Amino acid sequence: MPTPQEVLRVLSRVVEPERGRDIVRLKMVRNLRVEDGRVSFTLVFNRPDTDFARQAPEQCRKLLQEAFGPELAVQIDTDTEMIGLEVQGGGPMPSVQPEGVLNFIAVASGKGGVGKSTVAVNLAVALAQQGYDVGLLDADIYGPSVPTMFGVRDEKPRVNEQRKIVPLVRHNVRLLSMGFIVDPEQAVIWRGPMVAKALRQFLGEADWGELDFLILDLPPGTGDVPLTIVQSIALTGAIIVSTPQPVALADARKGVAMFRNVQVPVLGIVENMAYFSPPDLPDRKYYIFGRGGARRLAEELDVPFLGEIPIEEAVREGGDLGKPIVLAEPESASAKAFYRLAEQVVEQVNLRNAEQPPTQRVEILYR
């Protein structure tokens, strides 16, 4: 029997012609089950009257049986999402869920200083390098670092004719940050409601366009900003960043608990600053902050372990100079680790999306 991941890799060869993306990437595969000698899933279409909708089930069946044998039992159901349902007599219901964004990924940490923003930045660029359409929202209102790490501290986003904020684009990643708006020499002294309003504007009043992933770099801890994000949009999942030492892991545990309490899937834990390898002794590893702590925590909490990111001076230099390590030194150990992280994140997102049952997504239009 194939694994769910293997099934999804085969199904990703089926491309929806109008949008030019595969059915896994478009979240059209739902309710995936691989058990008792059978693969079953539901294909969800916005328009069931197209040639593609009529032909896709048999195309999926054929590919799966070619890959895993003609004896494989394949059950494919179809469903339709309802779009454009008009409701009479209602008032407008503002939404901050950006249209066209397929997946919202929060990158969080229980405490500061563990390299969360470094992970978010390099993850976003690595995904873009792998061909995905990516945006990055720097939701760390009090300490925005994305402008520096992308080399755009002196640039400002514009407002288009629809009066929406147009994100900056750098390294093929669309960017918004409070650092583009406030004076970098001034402290942002805001209470919770003001922070919530700013984040809702960045989400609902920005022209993010069509994105596979919108990465949200959250501030450390479990305060107002993470809760505002959870209440404002439907997160696909969260990534927890930690270093291996116990003091960081204790807070990472709280981060996992917070997202579970608000029913947000935890895609996994990343161990940053996992080890140091001297440039002249690349095969030797020094575990400065302890060894394998995040991996053990992931196993204990039954969440995926997404990988180890080593300590390298070039990572810090790239962040300071505005050129992330995945671009500055793509053959470095850290860059390769970030590319593997991006692959793991895509796999976990696809798996989570495919396991979800079909939903009737309704866009309500008011007169």
Side-chain angles (χ1 to χ4, degrees):
M1 284 297 294
T3 65
Q5 291 90 335
E6 290 170 336
V7 169
L8 291 175
R9 279 195 283 271
V10 171
L11 294 178
S12 67
R13 293 159 57 188
V14 180
V15 176
E16 200 280 330
E18 288 190 6
R19 287 178 281 184
R21 298 179 181 180
D22 68 74
I23 60 174
V24 175
R25 188 168 172 177
L26 290 171
K27 302 186 350 185
M28 296 173 65
V29 179
R30 307 284 182 87
N31 203 29
L32 174 64
R33 299 290 182 270
V34 181
E35 55 191 5
D36 299 328
R38 177 187 299 271
V39 173
S40 63
F41 57 92
T42 302
L43 285 176
V44 179
F45 301 99
N46 289 340
R47 293 173 53 200
D49 58 340
T50 64
D51 289 340
F52 175 72
R54 288 187 284 268
Q55 298 167 3
E58 186 55 34
Q59 185 179 359
C60 292
R61 185 190 315 278
K62 181 179 179 181
L63 286 172
L64 289 171
Q65 291 181 335
E66 286 178 353
F68 305 115
E71 70 281 358
L72 178 68
V74 180
Q75 177 182 334
I76 304 174
D77 297 320
T78 60
D79 204 343
T80 305
E81 289 182 336
M82 298 189 307
I83 297 179
L85 178 64
E86 190 171 89
V87 178
Q88 302 288 335
M93 182 184 297
S95 171
V96 298
Q97 188 99 357
E99 297 180 3
V101 179
L102 290 172
N103 298 288
F104 299 88
I105 310 297
V107 178
S109 65
K111 68 187 297 294
V114 298
K116 168 188 54 62
S117 293
T118 298
V119 171
V121 165
N122 282 280
L123 171 61
V125 177
L127 287 168
Q129 290 291 300
Q130 292 173 2
Y132 296 97
D133 297 317
V134 184
L136 176 58
L137 171 57
D138 185 359
D140 194 343
I141 297 293
Y142 302 109
S145 54
V146 164
T148 297
M149 300 179 81
F150 273 88
V152 288
R153 290 186 62 183
D154 298 325
E155 298 184 34
K156 305 292 182 185
R158 63 181 179 87
V159 177
N160 63 18
E161 295 179 354
Q162 289 74 41
R163 301 201 54 80
K164 285 199 167 188
I165 306 168
V166 179
L168 300 177
V169 179
R170 190 64 173 257
H171 308 318
N172 292 323
V173 178
R174 300 172 202 181
L175 307 168
L176 274 183
S177 170
M178 182 58 66
F180 297 148
I181 298 172
V182 300
D183 186 335
E185 304 299 324
Q186 300 297 318
V188 178
I189 307 175
W190 288 359
R191 295 185 182 275
M194 295 180 67
V195 172
K197 182 178 180 181
L199 288 174
R200 291 177 68 86
Q201 286 181 316
F202 280 160
L203 288 167
E205 299 178 26
D207 184 9
W208 287 103
E210 300 286 330
L211 295 178
D212 294 298
F213 299 97
L214 179 55
I215 308 296
L216 300 106
D217 179 17
L218 303 187
T222 56
D224 286 336
V225 173
L227 292 175
T228 296
I229 293 291
V230 169
Q231 293 169 353
S232 300
I233 59 174
L235 285 173
T236 305
I239 298 168
I240 305 297
V241 181
S242 180
T243 53
Q245 75 237 56
V247 67
L249 295 170
D251 290 322
R253 183 188 299 271
K254 296 175 185 176
V256 172
M258 182 202 74
F259 284 110
R260 282 179 165 172
N261 286 340
V262 293
Q263 285 76 55
V264 172
V266 177
L267 300 176
I269 297 176
V270 179
E271 184 170 278
N272 195 31
M273 308 183 202
Y275 58 86
F276 171 72
S277 293
D280 55 339
L281 295 169
D283 295 330
R284 184 170 296 180
K285 294 181 179 181
Y286 295 93
Y287 297 92
I288 299 172
F289 298 110
R291 183 171 183 175
R295 184 188 294 273
R296 290 192 295 272
L297 180 64
E299 292 174 354
E300 178 187 339
L301 298 179
D302 193 25
V303 299
F305 180 68
L306 299 176
E308 300 176 337
I309 311 297
I311 301 174
E312 286 191 289
E313 185 178 4
V315 176
R316 191 273 305 164
E317 291 175 344
D320 290 343
L321 298 174
K323 192 167 185 181
I325 187 70
V326 294
L327 294 177
E329 296 189 23
E331 295 303 315
S332 65
S334 293
K336 291 178 180 179
F338 280 122
Y339 278 116
R340 288 193 296 270
L341 169 63
E343 292 169 354
Q344 287 291 312
V345 169
V346 171
E347 183 174 284
Q348 288 299 320
V349 167
N350 287 343
L351 193 58
R352 299 274 182 174
N353 289 337
E355 289 175 344
Q356 298 302 309
T359 57
Q360 295 298 311
R361 179 169 59 88
V362 181
E363 294 181 1
I364 301 176
L365 306 178
Y366 290 89
R367 285 184 175 178

